Amino acid sequence: MSIIKILVSQIRSIWLTFINIFSKRETIMYPEKSVYLAPRYRGRVILSRNLNGEERCVACNLCAVACPVGCISLKKSISKTNRWYPKFFRINFSRCIFCGLCEEACPTAAIQLIPDFELSEYKRQDLVYEKEDLLISGPGKYSDYDFYHFSGVEIEGKKKGNLDYESNPIDVKTLLP
Amino acid sequence: METKVLIIESILVLFLTLICATIMSIVERRVLGLLQNRYGPNRVGWQGTLQIVADMIKILFKEDWIPMFSRKAIFVFAPILSFLSLFLVIAIVPISSNFVIIDLDIGILFFLMMASLSVYPVLFAGWSSNNKYALLGAIRATAQTLTYEVFLGLSLMGVVARAQSFNMIDIVNSQILLWNCIPQFFGFVTFFIAGLALCHRHPFDQPESEQELSDGYHIEYSGMKFGLFFIGEYISIIIVSSLITTMFFGGWFGFGLSAIFWFIFKTMFFAFLFILIRASLPRPRYDKIMLFGWKFCFPLTLINLVFTAFFMLCKA
């Protein structure tokens, strides 16, 4: 008797497969039809600039430290305006796992992961991105954020204590109140 | 003059079958895509029409490697035999009332003979490859053969009894009033199952079983030798569907349109059914297949034959 049951269930499954002819196809025709990626999708890594067009990165090396695969390498340099900047900034995308830890670690919101995953190359060497490949002209995700407007770091044109919520630094060498 | 026409006819039919088998490799992928809510190959050419050309180029230029540890003569011989054994059966299939290559009086017996022969290439390939997976595939093929060969012939005997002839044209002519699929329903079902097993089609693809044996008996084959196995499978699908058409679904009979159209239409329908079954059923274990074959299909064909004989006697 059970064999009849099995046969009926098999005929039923053949029928269920057959009626799939009339249902919609689920395939996304990718290159013709672009993929929707959420705004917070972690794809290609970029370096952004602030609203004045200066690069945000201060070469603090926190991203390179946070990176679990160690694909970021950079070297600090100091500009004439006493501001740190990366002399070179290199990301090896053949090692990058797009975890976004560099973005979390970055105090200046310079390094950001954007929704773009089309990174394929024919040569492995082409996956090593230099600073000119990484640096974009806009501010990326955080349009009004400027690190030096919030931190007490001193640069040319801004002394310590100049920000409105900052108190002036105490001169420890004087006895006056 | 007569022989010349016959030769041209034979070559035409053989080439058409070959071309149909090649096209079926693409059609199957597209139909499987349709059944599984996806597209098949649709990148090369318009809607994947040139995919067949791409596949041909690929298979022709692949390295045709013969393993040094194999038995070379048998290794080379197996795919040729596999390709030819069922391919030759097309010669006995009547496409319309006067369009058949050889009008054999023992048509069905010729088919059964070739079907039995088609086990050998699998065994040869599996054994001569000198590979454990290939050998396991060949052993499974043997187990499967023991299963379906028993009722493959018996399922057709009801049809033979009704037509009182082994000749294919006589068999089709005996179905003028009623197609054999109704009085010989169990014969049809069992022959269809045996046909599935004969072509090594899912769910009876024990010898190949890609998931467990990673292609079974033709694991060591590459290039055109693999192509022969591959095309051979599609040829056997076409042959078995055309045999189902001739023996159970009234061959070229139909209304309105031409005989050849009806024959091709019915054959295509059964080829589609083969693909549909591939898309829906999982592969059973080999002992379950044997159980099913011996304890269910074999008695069913015997009962079918006995009842057919009984009714024939009552009528006479």
Side-chain angles (χ1 to χ4, degrees):
Chain A
M1 219 55 239
S2 70
I3 207 151
I4 305 285
K5 244 186 211 169
I6 292 166
L7 272 180
V8 168
S9 99
Q10 292 198 338
I11 288 163
R12 184 171 162 270
S13 62
I14 291 171
W15 168 251
L16 288 177
T17 315
F18 176 75
I19 54 174
N20 268 311
I21 283 185
F22 306 108
S23 55
K24 208 174 125 276
R25 282 164 164 164
E26 306 284 345
T27 319
I28 298 166
M29 304 298 282
Y30 159 61
E32 288 95 58
K33 209 168 159 241
S34 58
V35 184
Y36 170 74
L37 294 171
R40 289 178 59 182
Y41 185 90
R42 300 195 301 258
R44 184 161 67 96
V45 183
I46 53 154
L47 287 174
S48 58
R49 294 172 190 271
N50 64 16
L51 287 175
N52 304 331
E54 298 159 328
E55 54 185 290
R56 274 173 171 161
C57 180
V58 292
C60 64
N61 255 314
L62 280 176
C63 52
V65 170
C67 183
V69 290
C71 67
I72 304 175
S73 65
L74 68 155
K75 189 172 186 240
K76 190 194 81 178
S77 187
I78 301 176
S79 75
K80 282 171 199 152
T81 58
N82 205 22
R83 195 183 173 284
W84 289 11
Y85 72 98
K87 193 172 184 185
F88 68 83
F89 199 104
R90 194 174 291 144
I91 297 183
N92 185 354
F93 275 109
S94 63
R95 300 183 75 180
C96 181
I97 56 170
F98 304 98
C99 60
L101 286 180
C102 49
E103 188 179 15
E104 298 289 331
C106 185
T108 66
I111 193 162
Q112 292 175 12
L113 277 76
I114 59 167
D116 171 22
F117 59 89
E118 291 158 330
L119 285 164
S120 33
E121 296 283 352
Y122 286 104
K123 276 185 291 183
R124 198 167 278 247
Q125 199 54 43
D126 294 344
L127 280 168
V128 178
Y129 277 43
E130 293 294 336
K131 193 166 127 186
E132 47 268 30
D133 308 318
L134 294 165
L135 201 60
I136 62 164
S137 56
K141 282 185 258 190
Y142 314 99
S143 54
D144 55 349
Y145 181 74
D146 190 351
F147 174 67
Y148 289 106
H149 281 144
F150 294 93
S151 69
V153 180
E154 190 181 337
I155 51 165
E156 200 179 85
K158 183 176 90 85
K159 288 272 178 319
K160 279 186 179 173
N162 273 10
L163 296 177
D164 50 1
Y165 57 83
E166 236 180 349
S167 49
N168 280 317
I170 298 163
D171 188 354
V172 289
K173 289 181 181 161
T174 174
L175 287 171
L176 288 171
Chain B
M1 195 64 209
E2 184 80 337
T3 41
K4 210 174 171 186
V5 171
L6 199 66
I7 287 169
I8 291 169
E9 232 176 53
S10 327
I11 291 171
L12 186 78
V13 170
L14 288 180
F15 262 92
L16 277 181
T17 319
L18 195 57
I19 289 164
C20 284
T22 324
I23 292 169
M24 245 194 98
S25 68
I26 304 304
V27 168
E28 181 181 29
R29 281 143 78 186
R30 291 289 298 192
V31 172
L32 274 180
L34 189 67
L35 293 168
Q36 293 165 350
N37 295 347
R38 58 184 173 85
Y39 298 84
N42 65 346
R43 291 286 143 175
V44 197
W46 182 81
Q47 289 288 306
T49 39
L50 291 178
Q51 182 71 38
I52 199 160
V53 181
D55 283 356
M56 284 301 249
I57 291 169
K58 189 190 163 191
I59 214 159
L60 283 174
F61 285 91
K62 235 179 178 182
E63 188 190 355
D64 208 351
W65 185 62
I66 301 172
M68 49 286 256
F69 48 80
S70 66
R71 305 289 175 117
K72 286 191 185 57
I74 297 175
F75 187 83
V76 175
F77 177 59
I80 301 167
L81 189 60
S82 159
F83 180 75
L84 284 181
S85 62
L86 275 174
F87 190 32
L88 294 180
V89 178
I90 195 73
I92 59 154
V93 177
I95 292 161
S96 75
S97 54
N98 49 10
F99 191 17
V100 56
I101 297 177
I102 332 168
D103 186 13
L104 279 182
D105 277 341
I106 51 153
I108 288 181
L109 291 183
F110 179 73
F111 159 67
L112 290 176
M113 183 194 85
M114 283 324 227
S116 318
L117 265 185
S118 74
V119 184
Y120 282 96
V122 178
L123 282 175
F124 285 164
W127 176 73
S128 70
S129 290
N130 217 345
N131 176 317
K132 288 194 179 82
Y133 284 118
L135 188 64
L136 277 174
I139 291 168
R140 283 188 183 196
T142 325
Q144 191 171 291
T145 311
L146 288 177
T147 313
Y148 72 80
E149 281 281 324
V150 195
F151 59 90
L152 175 69
L154 273 175
S155 62
L156 292 176
M157 287 308 118
V159 177
V160 173
R162 267 178 60 83
Q164 297 182 343
S165 165
F166 281 104
N167 188 311
M168 299 291 265
I169 291 181
D170 289 351
I171 286 171
V172 180
N173 280 328
S174 75
Q175 302 175 55
I176 259 184
L177 297 173
L178 184 63
W179 288 359
N180 267 337
C181 60
I182 296 160
Q184 291 291 319
F185 180 71
F186 294 114
F188 161 62
V189 170
T190 42
F191 182 71
F192 190 78
I193 294 167
L196 277 177
L198 180 65
C199 304
H200 311 305
R201 284 295 290 184
H202 305 68
F204 300 107
D205 67 334
Q206 296 289 331
E208 275 131 28
S209 49
E210 280 153 31
Q211 289 81 11
E212 308 139 48
L213 298 180
S214 64
D215 259 4
Y217 63 92
H218 53 59
I219 188 169
E220 292 288 355
Y221 284 87
S222 61
M224 210 51 225
K225 288 199 206 65
F226 171 77
L228 285 180
F229 277 121
F230 188 68
I231 299 299
E233 187 185 316
Y234 290 109
I235 284 174
S236 51
I237 291 171
I238 290 173
I239 301 297
V240 170
S241 358
S242 64
L243 281 169
I244 293 170
T245 308
T246 1
M247 276 184 283
F248 294 98
F249 280 78
W252 62 80
F253 290 130
F255 44 87
L257 297 149
S258 71
I260 293 177
F261 166 79
W262 276 108
F263 179 81
I264 292 173
F265 175 75
K266 287 173 194 172
T267 308
M268 271 166 63
F269 172 75
F270 285 106
F272 168 75
L273 217 57
F274 272 67
I275 299 171
L276 178 63
I277 286 173
R278 176 187 177 164
S280 30
L281 295 184
R283 180 187 310 127
R285 223 166 55 202
Y286 70 97
D287 60 320
K288 300 267 176 182
I289 291 183
M290 210 171 255
L291 215 67
F292 175 70
W294 281 84
K295 283 197 178 168
F296 184 73
C297 291
F298 183 48
L300 198 65
T301 46
L302 281 178
I303 291 165
N304 180 50
L305 185 57
V306 168
F307 271 84
T308 313
F310 181 72
F311 281 115
M312 299 278 300
L313 278 175
C314 282
K315 233 197 248 172

